[in-house]
Amino acid sequence: MDPFGNFINGTVTLFSDPLGILIFFGGVVGGMLFGAIPGVSMLTLAAILLPFTAHLSAEHGIMLFSVIYCTGVYGGAITAILFNIPGAPENAPTAFDGYPMTRNGQAGKAVGAAVMCSAIGGTVSAVIMMAATAPIANWAISAFGPPEIFALVFFGLAVAATVGARTLWKGWLSILLGLMIAVVGMDPVGGIERYDFNMPYLLAGIHFIPTILGFFAVSEIFVQAERKATGVYEAPKLSVSFPSVAELIAHKFAVVRSILIGFFCGILPGIGATLAAFMGYNEAVRWSKDRKAFGTGKMEGVISSETANNAATGAAMIPLLALGLPGGALTAMMVGVFQMHDMEPGPLVFLNSPDLVWVVFAAMFFANLSILLVGFLETKTIINLLRIPFQFLAPLILLLATVGAYAVRGLVIDVVVMFIAGVAGFFLRRSGYSVAGIVLGLILGKIGEQTFAQAMQMLHFEWVGFFNRPIAALLILAALLTVAGSIYSAFFRKDRQETL
């Protein structure tokens, strides 16, 4: 049967079963709620539910996890936009421009753009997933290995240096600070202890969730408290106006570009929505004629990151279902669900359990569409939290951030790290450095170090081997050109200003 006929059958199977409907809507709401709570992400919900899926059918268990994945990625955008608290790492780029939009009285437009573009990115990704799972998976696995992924991370870092800092040099120093934080702990290859200062906690590295909460939420509280103390504080302007169709059409190229980036990152095992969001945002900055506007409340920043991270959800299912390779932490848990029901994901699942595959495909398609309905209803209510005066809202945000930091690993030291990052972020922001760049360096640095070590082993420790692989060579060349171009622009602009 053709894909459309299979999709119709999957839809009928999904919505003709009362228990299936209950599980579907439970996954939609649960994913959004847990995705919006910092430190208690969709992975927490999935881990809690994993043992209980043994009592469900295989179709219901896999469908539940796929729906949580779709809506959980979107859920963290709300707190990122309204309070500068990303619900998960993949929502961090959304806060770069989403929160400044809230401060500018455009909270409704920011949340509306996140809702609509999350739905668009996820739905298009689901459609492509249904149409071309097997060939895309085979291409991604054969064409992309650790050298290409490292080159992609290197390119992302090169672009990230231009985001949010007062000067190019402070942008690069911000990236390097993030990279320095990323290398704290055990060497992923040789197990060598690095920068642990004889503290057992640091052997596991500095976790990125407390760091993100500190640099974004806590530092923002300090910034606003300083403004209130000096009499220049302005409360966020309440707005529930959503972006118009014309505004979204004006950003059609950003949407299409971010869908491609998100889908591309999603099909690479181990990469997923986090890199997709950062790459989508970075490319928006790189192709913009007004780069300086990013970080001050530019809607294109929200559109690009939310479209990209949701486009990665459908793509991440492709290597799982076609090749049995999980694309991230949640899809790795889905392998466990398969195994609980004496099944193995991979090519044979399409032959032995086609009904399961198409129920999952249909559920992911409708889960992304449900973001539109539930997201807009949620926005009308939650945006009124901005009416709370700062002296009451600040302790609430600090409490939420503290709970989120502690919930990651149950360690008080994570809360301490969060406040240290908050104080550091406050002074760095005052000095013109980019907390966005630091977070980019931290998250991409961990991915880059791991893939670089794997790549060097593959290439027998011959770095020239990177240039013998066309895709890796192209990405590294693009990164070097980006660095050279930004340096040239900085000097050229300086010289021109001096002559004027």
Side-chain angles (χ1 to χ4, degrees):
M1 187 179 292
D2 65 289
F4 181 74
N6 286 324
F7 172 70
I8 296 298
N9 286 342
T11 302
V12 172
T13 302
L14 173 63
F15 292 111
S16 61
D17 179 5
L19 180 59
I21 295 173
L22 181 63
I23 291 173
F24 173 81
F25 284 105
V28 168
V29 176
M32 286 188 182
L33 288 177
F34 274 74
I37 302 174
V40 186
S41 65
M42 60 181 176
L43 296 177
T44 308
L45 177 61
I48 293 170
L49 295 176
L50 183 60
F52 297 97
T53 57
H55 304 288
L56 300 175
S57 67
E59 289 85 353
H60 288 160
I62 299 297
M63 181 265 288
L64 173 62
F65 271 58
S66 63
V67 170
I68 289 173
Y69 191 22
C70 293
T71 58
V73 170
Y74 154 73
I78 303 300
T79 50
I81 291 169
L82 296 183
F83 308 116
N84 207 25
I85 307 177
E90 56 263 26
N91 302 115
T94 305
F96 297 168
D97 282 283
Y99 185 70
M101 288 184 70
T102 296
R103 302 296 308 173
N104 296 337
Q106 297 179 308
K109 286 193 174 184
V111 174
V115 168
M116 297 180 74
C117 291
S118 294
I120 292 170
T123 303
V124 173
S125 176
V127 170
I128 300 173
M129 171 187 68
M130 289 186 280
T133 291
I136 291 176
N138 289 329
W139 172 81
I141 298 302
S142 62
F144 264 78
E148 286 76 18
I149 296 175
F150 168 74
L152 184 65
V153 169
F154 179 49
F155 176 63
L157 290 172
V159 176
T162 63
V163 178
R166 195 174 296 164
T167 66
L168 174 66
W169 314 117
K170 289 186 175 181
W172 271 110
L173 287 172
S174 301
I175 294 291
L176 291 174
L177 178 57
L179 292 174
M180 288 177 63
I181 297 173
V183 299
V184 172
M186 300 283 284
D187 171 23
V189 178
I192 301 170
E193 300 174 4
R194 303 178 304 190
Y195 309 112
D196 63 310
F197 302 102
N198 294 320
M199 296 177 62
Y201 164 77
L202 293 178
L203 289 175
I206 297 177
H207 203 282
F208 53 80
I209 293 292
T211 312
I212 288 174
L213 290 173
F215 278 126
F216 283 107
V218 178
S219 70
E220 183 63 29
I221 292 296
F222 291 156
V223 168
Q224 299 306 328
E226 181 190 37
R227 290 176 179 173
K228 194 167 184 64
T230 55
V232 296
Y233 172 78
E234 292 184 9
K237 303 176 183 68
L238 187 64
S239 165
V240 292
S241 61
F242 296 117
S244 65
V245 175
E247 286 177 302
L248 290 175
I249 291 176
H251 294 97
K252 56 184 178 294
F253 294 116
V255 171
V256 173
R257 180 180 62 238
S258 296
I259 288 174
L260 295 175
I261 292 170
F263 196 87
F264 171 73
C265 291
I267 59 178
L268 303 177
I271 300 302
T274 301
L275 181 60
F278 282 108
M279 291 299 297
Y281 186 87
N282 286 349
E283 287 304 292
V285 175
R286 194 167 75 93
W287 289 98
S288 175
K289 295 180 180 178
D290 187 15
R291 295 184 181 184
K292 286 190 174 181
F294 283 88
T296 63
K298 192 172 176 65
M299 188 187 296
E300 187 177 351
V302 175
I303 287 173
S304 298
S305 61
E306 282 303 304
T307 304
N309 64 24
N310 282 271
T313 56
M317 294 294 290
I318 290 177
L320 174 69
L321 293 175
L323 301 170
L325 299 174
L330 193 136
T331 48
M333 292 186 195
M334 292 175 73
V335 173
V337 180
F338 272 103
Q339 292 173 345
M340 282 183 181
H341 294 87
D342 297 322
M343 301 172 66
E344 288 292 338
L348 291 179
V349 78
F350 286 87
L351 297 176
N352 298 332
S353 306
D355 290 342
L356 179 150
V357 171
W358 285 98
V359 166
V360 170
F361 284 173
M364 293 186 72
F365 178 82
F366 288 107
N368 283 296
L369 286 182
S370 70
I371 291 174
L372 279 175
L373 175 61
V374 179
F376 280 124
L377 292 176
E378 175 188 46
T379 301
K380 292 287 187 179
T381 304
I382 200 170
I383 206 169
N384 287 296
L385 290 174
L386 295 176
R387 297 183 187 274
I388 301 174
F390 176 78
Q391 59 266 33
F392 301 118
L393 186 60
L396 180 63
I397 293 174
L398 283 177
L399 176 63
L400 184 62
T402 301
V403 171
Y406 181 77
V408 176
R409 295 186 290 187
L411 297 175
V412 175
I413 192 69
D414 280 333
V415 179
V416 175
V417 167
M418 180 191 74
F419 279 101
I420 292 173
V423 173
F426 170 70
F427 288 107
L428 287 168
R429 288 170 64 172
R430 290 185 64 180
S431 303
Y433 291 90
S434 169
V435 294
I438 298 171
V439 171
L440 281 162
L442 170 60
I443 294 178
L444 297 186
K446 290 182 181 293
I447 299 172
E449 182 185 16
Q450 180 73 38
T451 53
F452 178 74
Q454 294 171 343
M456 292 303 289
Q457 290 174 341
M458 283 180 59
L459 301 173
H460 306 290
F461 298 95
E462 294 287 342
W463 63 268
V464 180
F466 281 100
F467 297 95
N468 294 329
R469 301 173 70 99
I471 296 177
L474 183 63
L475 288 168
I476 291 174
L477 180 61
L480 294 175
L481 289 175
T482 300
V483 173
S486 59
I487 293 174
Y488 174 79
S489 297
F491 277 111
F492 177 76
R493 187 164 54 246
K494 181 180 178 181
D495 292 342
R496 185 172 59 183
Q497 289 174 348
E498 288 176 352
T499 57
L500 292 175

